[in-house]
Amino acid sequence: MQRTDGDLYGLVNVAGGADPSTWMPSTRVTRDDWRTLFTRNLETAFFMSQAVSRELRRLSLKGSIVSISSISGMNTAPFHIAYGTAKAAVAAMTRTMAVELALDNIRVNAVAPGVTETAAFAHLCRRRSRP
């Protein structure tokens, strides 16, 4: 474990995402695709949240954990089944941890942004507009 100087206030889980190569019909998603997206989007957020909350509790500190979910986890996500399901699980994880950690003065929240114009989004738009 690496030690750093400074005070611990909480965590923002921003890791995750879905490469354009994973955008496909649910009938084509492989077990490896599924596991990769769950590792990136759910497991990383969970285990980082667990480690930070454990340290906040050990030090009797108030704190906040914020995870980035996605609108894909709140609504139907065609061609994003693994990503959308992982992000829905982030929301469920957040609700559970919020209840469990509230008495320790640790707030746990998630933010679910919508579509963001990125290079990956532009790639998807080009791919869908082809005849």
Side-chain angles (χ1 to χ4, degrees):
M1 177 193 241
Q2 183 177 353
R3 298 271 179 207
T4 60
D5 292 330
D7 297 323
L8 179 62
Y9 296 99
L11 169 71
V12 178
N13 285 307
V14 204
D19 299 329
S21 65
T22 66
W23 300 351
M24 64 186 77
S26 57
T27 55
R28 288 189 26 225
V29 175
T30 67
R31 193 174 298 267
D32 284 342
D33 295 331
W34 187 266
R35 287 181 177 151
T36 297
L37 287 166
F38 265 73
T39 297
R40 260 192 218 163
N41 291 283
L42 176 62
E43 287 182 27
T44 302
F46 172 72
F47 288 110
M48 286 300 299
S49 298
Q50 182 187 62
V52 168
S53 63
R54 186 179 292 136
E55 188 68 2
L56 288 167
R57 289 175 74 191
R58 184 182 74 77
L59 298 169
S60 298
L61 295 173
K62 295 179 183 180
S64 182
I65 297 172
V66 179
S67 297
I68 306 301
S69 181
S70 170
I71 197 70
S72 293
M74 307 297 119
N75 296 321
T76 317
F79 308 104
H80 286 266
I81 184 114
Y83 174 76
T85 304
K87 289 301 190 177
V90 168
M93 173 199 76
T94 299
R95 289 190 299 270
T96 300
M97 291 186 89
V99 170
E100 289 181 4
L101 297 171
L103 294 176
D104 294 308
N105 291 309
I106 301 171
R107 292 182 321 275
V108 185
N109 295 285
V111 178
V115 175
T116 304
E117 193 170 336
T118 63
F121 178 71
H123 173 78
L124 176 65
C125 291
R126 283 192 302 276
R127 198 170 93 189
R128 286 192 178 167
S129 66
R130 290 183 192 147

